[in-house]
Amino acid sequence: MAFNAVRIAYNQTQGLSKLQSVNKLLQVFGSCATRRVTLIRLFLQPQLHKLLALMAEPEHVSVTVQVGEKRGCPEEEGKDTPSKKPKVEKDHKNGDPPVKVDEEEEGPDGEAVDGEEEGETFADMMKHGLTELDVGILRYVSDHEGFSGILKERYSDFVVHEINRQGKIVHLDDLSVPAEAEEAPEPEPKPEDCDVLTEEQKKKLGELQLFKNKEDEVSIEVMEDTKEKRTLLHKAIKTQFPGIETKTEEKEGRKFIVAYHAAGKKALAAPRKHFWPKNRGSFCHFVLYKENKDTMDAINVLSKFLRLRPNMFSYMGTKDKRAVTVQEIAVLKITAERLSHLNKCLMNLKLGNFCYKNHPLKLGELQGNHFTIVIRNISGTDEQVEQAMTSIKATGFINYYGMQRFGTTAVPTQQVGKAILRNDWNQVVDLILKPRPGAEKEFLVRCREEWAKSQDPEAALKKLPNKRCVEGQLLRGLSMYGKKNIVTAFGMLPRNNRLMYVHSYQSVVWNTMVSRRIDAFGLKAVEGDLVLKGTTAHVLSAEEAETTSIHDTVMPLPGFDVIYPTHHGYRELLTADGLDIDNMRHKVKDYSLAGAYRRIIIRPTDVSWEVIQYDDPRISLVHSDFEKLENKPAPVYNKEGKHRALRMEFSLPPSTYATMAIREVLKVDTSIKKQTQLNTTWFN
């Protein structure tokens, strides 16, 4: 069946340029990400083209579809179209700075859309990527036998619910707008307050308020020049004519109250536009339900609809893109009613559970995340699954930083981070801008080639259609500040992106040192290990180690404000990288690393699992919050189904990677490079 789809694609792409061919492939192969990667990979096999040329049909088969239309493979004609299926994309939640521009320009699943040599397969494109070995992810906790399975075949297979500050799992279960609390009535103005203005003065002030007055201000002479009289006039004008400001001026020995618009005509065209009841909290808190969308992308969408700056929103953490996620968001002085109206026009986003509070949300305030994950097409027996899940519930997994922390390109983010910490700014520029092997967009290839040839930032910048990628921002900085002021030029990148590089280096050091520690001492506390007492690290004595669990031990991320285990090899590792462990402060304050402590082993809570069987791979196997609100039935599992899946639930603390828990269950390398190789081997 897959071969038929490839044959149709071959017929349709004859005579087209490579870029046109890829666009046609996206149409023919549809929006199913997993199937699309497989079919494009098959299409790129050069040995297949000879056979296809012999079998070429005399007429093109008509399979024209509109861009963005949901489309299955040709053999699925007539069947119901599956729910919207996005392209696979690496997760930026905790990791690498994105080097992409707008999503619409992204090739499917990260493969280059132009500029690759004929016949290069997706596996060839990814051969320069990282594996777990490259970032220090080496060991497992348990010795059970692993098994294979497909993670995130559909984005609805990965569901994340935030656990808020109170320890409650956040759900979207109410779309209603809260009733407004009764506001205390404003005190009625005293009769004498109203009488201080004449009818003619009120008329002029009214015209000024509505911008009907040709003058920019109205002057009222104070006949009885006393402070009490002037105060009454100021109060009466401001009370009766919102949006008007007053001041006292002296002209030719006489005093006047001058009324005027403080912020000008544009800002006060609607005087009560920014009215906010005093008894209402300044921040509207709500639950954001999103499908297949990054947290920042979702906030940018809300910002555009509400005409706000994105920094008006606050949240406790970012969530995966390729997933269904539920989290709390807060926004300053936007009513629940306005937010609720957005539900009529938003795609893959829903807002609800509105309430008003007097505080925003802060990063890191959450207690963790609750995951519901489906791994499809598992090969393990029920006994293997039981053994794996029992182990992770009882013992846990090594708390490695996941692969998304380090990027998927030929130049890992930790290398850039190491160059920053070494103050080697020429290497920072070189690593980001030099030509690199692997899959990239054609315009990035041209940009890198121009930089390598001319070292001219303006010339290289002209090769980029969109300047918002990391390369574009760095080149713009070099163009503005010159190549001798790289630190300032690098500062053109958003602060979070810049810090991701150095945090990535810290993470690979932590991963490496934890693997070495487990190799040396196993999964038990030993003399010289660290534990936290409050927020302070304490070095264990031999006697203390006897009564301490491995689950309580921590390892430090390198920095100037941490201590190290007495048995550590941090100094040797950092020295080999050209860094001084005793001097982790940087000339640029942003890159001075204080360090932190991280638990070696994490034991998930609220763990449950079941092996389910199903027939239709297109149906969702998790009942989402939105489906419950829509009163849609829960998925029904067929006990005699031809496919098997593992459905698991667990909760993890913040900054812990669910993919590392899944790695422990399946015993597989979670890197894109390795998964691609495994999929290619299976396909062949």
Side-chain angles (χ1 to χ4, degrees):
M1 303 297 271
F3 186 85
N4 289 335
V6 173
R7 184 175 62 179
I8 291 171
Y10 178 85
N11 293 332
Q12 290 223 351
T13 55
Q14 295 309 291
L16 299 180
S17 70
K18 181 167 281 190
L19 182 59
Q20 291 172 325
S21 297
V22 171
N23 289 333
K24 179 62 70 176
L25 293 178
L26 295 182
Q27 294 178 357
V28 174
F29 294 159
S31 59
C32 174
T34 305
R35 182 181 295 112
R36 192 175 62 201
V37 173
T38 302
L39 292 177
I40 290 178
R41 189 185 304 131
L42 175 59
F43 183 84
L44 291 174
Q45 297 289 338
Q47 64 269 27
L48 195 64
H49 280 224
K50 294 180 182 178
L51 178 60
L52 288 169
L54 295 173
M55 299 178 60
E57 299 172 1
E59 296 180 3
H60 293 322
V61 180
S62 177
V63 288
T64 304
V65 290
Q66 298 298 317
V67 175
E69 182 180 335
K70 294 188 281 290
R71 177 78 184 183
C73 290
E75 64 266 26
E76 294 174 344
E77 288 278 41
K79 296 183 182 179
D80 292 336
T81 312
S83 60
K84 185 174 181 182
K85 188 74 175 288
K87 62 182 180 339
V88 178
E89 185 170 324
K90 71 181 180 188
D91 174 21
H92 298 295
K93 183 176 79 166
N94 293 305
D96 51 300
V99 290
K100 68 183 181 68
V101 291
D102 292 340
E103 275 182 35
E104 302 89 86
E105 300 168 1
E106 181 88 338
D109 300 279
E111 69 265 20
V113 296
D114 203 357
E116 297 297 336
E117 294 182 7
E118 290 293 338
E120 185 172 30
T121 66
F122 186 79
D124 291 330
M125 296 175 188
M126 291 309 302
K127 66 185 178 184
H128 304 287
L130 294 172
T131 65
E132 290 184 348
L133 181 66
D134 298 320
V135 295
I137 302 174
L138 306 176
R139 301 291 171 253
Y140 295 99
V141 168
S142 64
D143 56 2
H144 72 265
E145 184 181 354
F147 52 91
S148 65
I150 301 175
L151 175 64
K152 292 190 180 183
E153 181 174 346
R154 299 173 59 86
Y155 67 76
S156 57
D157 289 346
F158 201 92
V159 181
V160 187
H161 288 85
E162 195 169 70
I163 302 174
N164 64 18
R165 288 182 296 181
Q166 291 74 39
K168 178 184 176 184
I169 297 176
V170 175
H171 285 278
L172 179 76
D173 52 21
D174 183 7
L175 300 180
S176 64
V177 175
E180 288 289 344
E182 295 267 340
E183 187 169 6
E186 290 285 336
E188 290 291 327
K190 297 177 182 178
E192 59 267 27
D193 293 348
C194 300
D195 293 342
V196 296
L197 295 172
T198 66
E199 292 302 319
E200 183 180 357
Q201 289 168 344
K202 290 178 182 178
K203 181 181 178 182
K204 289 182 178 180
L205 289 166
E207 290 174 348
L208 177 66
Q209 184 186 37
L210 299 174
F211 297 100
K212 294 180 180 179
N213 194 323
K214 294 182 180 179
E215 304 292 333
D216 290 334
E217 58 187 34
V218 172
S219 296
I220 300 173
E221 185 177 358
V222 183
M223 304 305 293
E224 301 174 18
D225 186 15
T226 64
K227 185 175 181 181
E228 292 76 12
K229 180 67 173 179
R230 292 198 304 271
T231 301
L232 284 175
L233 277 169
H234 285 296
K235 185 177 178 181
I237 293 170
K238 291 178 180 178
T239 302
Q240 296 180 51
F241 302 95
I244 298 293
E245 290 293 331
T246 59
K247 60 184 177 181
T248 303
E249 287 187 355
E250 188 170 340
K251 302 175 183 177
E252 299 177 354
R254 296 184 295 172
K255 289 195 175 179
F256 294 84
I257 302 296
V258 179
Y260 62 98
H261 274 293
K265 184 172 182 177
K266 184 178 179 181
L268 292 168
R272 293 180 65 83
K273 178 180 178 181
H274 302 295
F275 171 75
W276 193 264
K278 293 179 182 178
N279 66 327
R280 180 198 287 167
S282 296
F283 295 87
C284 184
H285 288 233
F286 61 94
V287 170
L288 170 67
Y289 168 97
K290 63 181 182 66
E291 296 182 357
N292 195 39
K293 196 173 286 290
D294 180 76
T295 299
M296 282 311 304
D297 290 339
I299 285 177
N300 287 335
V301 169
L302 298 179
S303 300
K304 289 177 182 177
F305 274 100
L306 296 169
R307 297 183 180 180
L308 297 173
R309 297 188 306 276
N311 62 7
M312 300 292 280
F313 293 86
S314 58
Y315 47 90
M316 295 184 285
T318 58
K319 300 289 179 279
D320 301 78
K321 177 189 173 180
R322 188 166 164 74
V324 174
T325 71
V326 184
Q327 67 184 116
E328 284 188 19
I329 304 285
V331 61
L332 177 64
K333 290 191 175 180
I334 295 295
T335 64
E337 188 175 19
R338 282 187 70 189
L339 292 167
S340 177
H341 281 315
L342 296 182
N343 284 331
K344 299 175 183 177
C345 51
L346 293 174
M347 292 289 291
N348 294 347
L349 298 175
K350 284 293 174 185
L351 318 179
N353 296 80
F354 305 102
C355 63
Y356 295 102
K357 298 182 181 180
N358 287 317
H359 58 83
L361 296 170
K362 294 180 181 178
L363 281 171
E365 284 185 328
L366 73 166
Q367 286 198 16
N369 294 289
H370 184 77
F371 297 87
T372 304
I373 297 171
V374 173
I375 301 173
R376 297 184 185 238
N377 288 353
I378 59 170
S379 63
T381 64
D382 288 351
E383 291 74 21
Q384 285 177 305
V385 171
E386 183 75 18
Q387 186 181 6
M389 294 305 299
T390 301
S391 171
I392 201 168
K393 181 177 181 179
T395 308
F397 61 96
I398 303 172
N399 193 21
Y400 286 125
Y401 286 96
M403 293 302 300
Q404 58 265 50
R405 186 81 162 184
F406 308 103
T408 57
T409 64
V411 180
T413 53
Q414 70 267 21
Q415 289 186 15
V416 181
K418 180 168 65 174
I420 292 171
L421 295 174
R422 291 171 57 179
N423 222 30
D424 188 348
W425 292 101
N426 287 318
Q427 189 183 18
V428 170
V429 171
D430 190 46
L431 287 169
I432 294 175
L433 295 181
K434 71 178 181 181
R436 58 181 66 172
E440 279 206 306
K441 297 184 181 71
E442 177 63 19
F443 59 79
L444 273 175
V445 173
R446 290 195 297 266
C447 171
R448 298 186 193 285
E449 289 174 348
E450 178 62 41
W451 173 257
K453 180 179 69 175
S454 67
Q455 295 286 297
D456 183 348
E458 291 188 7
L461 196 59
K462 288 178 181 177
K463 302 293 183 182
L464 296 176
N466 190 305
K467 314 298 192 279
R468 288 179 293 170
C469 59
V470 167
E471 292 82 358
Q473 290 167 322
L474 177 56
L475 286 168
R476 192 152 55 93
L478 292 170
S479 177
M480 292 172 62
Y481 301 107
K483 290 185 286 185
K484 292 185 178 180
N485 199 354
I486 297 175
V487 176
T488 307
F490 188 67
M492 293 291 289
L493 275 67
R495 184 173 184 271
N496 283 350
N497 279 25
R498 289 183 280 118
L499 293 183
M500 281 177 185
Y501 288 119
V502 292
H503 291 163
S504 176
Y505 175 74
Q506 280 184 304
S507 302
V508 78
V509 169
W510 192 92
N511 282 357
T512 302
M513 293 309 303
V514 164
S515 293
R516 291 181 182 179
R517 186 239 169 266
I518 291 174
D519 282 344
F521 305 110
L523 295 172
K524 62 178 182 178
V526 297
E527 180 181 3
D529 273 339
L530 301 180
V531 295
L532 288 179
K533 293 188 175 181
T535 57
T536 305
H538 168 72
V539 180
L540 290 177
S541 65
E543 293 76 21
E544 289 171 325
E546 292 291 331
T547 57
T548 301
S549 167
I550 187 66
H551 295 92
D552 296 322
T553 60
V554 297
M555 290 280 278
L557 284 89
F560 61 79
D561 198 27
V562 294
I563 62 172
Y564 297 91
T566 55
H567 53 65
H568 78 87
Y570 280 82
R571 183 178 301 277
E572 293 78 3
L573 180 60
L574 266 66
T575 300
D577 286 341
L579 296 171
D580 182 359
I581 197 172
D582 299 316
N583 185 19
M584 295 301 289
R585 294 186 186 274
H586 197 276
K587 294 179 181 179
V588 181
K589 186 177 179 181
D590 273 353
Y591 312 129
S592 289
L593 299 178
Y597 299 101
R598 183 175 176 89
R599 292 190 184 276
I600 296 175
I601 303 292
I602 289 291
R603 187 159 42 196
T605 58
D606 308 316
V607 180
S608 64
W609 67 91
E610 62 177 326
V611 175
I612 54 181
Q613 292 179 268
Y614 62 98
D615 283 318
D616 189 349
R618 299 171 300 174
I619 64 169
S620 173
L621 300 178
V622 180
H623 203 202
S624 71
D625 285 359
F626 182 64
E627 288 172 333
K628 293 174 184 176
L629 279 170
E630 295 276 291
N631 293 319
K632 292 183 179 179
V636 178
Y637 309 131
N638 180 0
K639 293 183 179 179
E640 304 298 324
K642 57 184 178 182
H643 303 296
R644 295 170 69 244
L646 170 59
R647 184 184 189 275
M648 63 175 80
E649 291 193 42
F650 52 84
S651 297
L652 294 175
S655 301
T656 306
Y657 290 77
T659 50
M660 293 296 99
I662 295 165
R663 170 186 180 270
E664 181 69 34
V665 171
L666 299 181
K667 297 289 182 71
V668 296
D669 187 318
T670 57
S671 66
I672 293 178
K673 176 179 178 179
K674 201 67 176 178
Q675 289 296 310
T676 304
Q677 291 172 351
L678 291 173
N679 288 341
T680 304
T681 302
W682 169 83
F683 180 78
N684 291 336

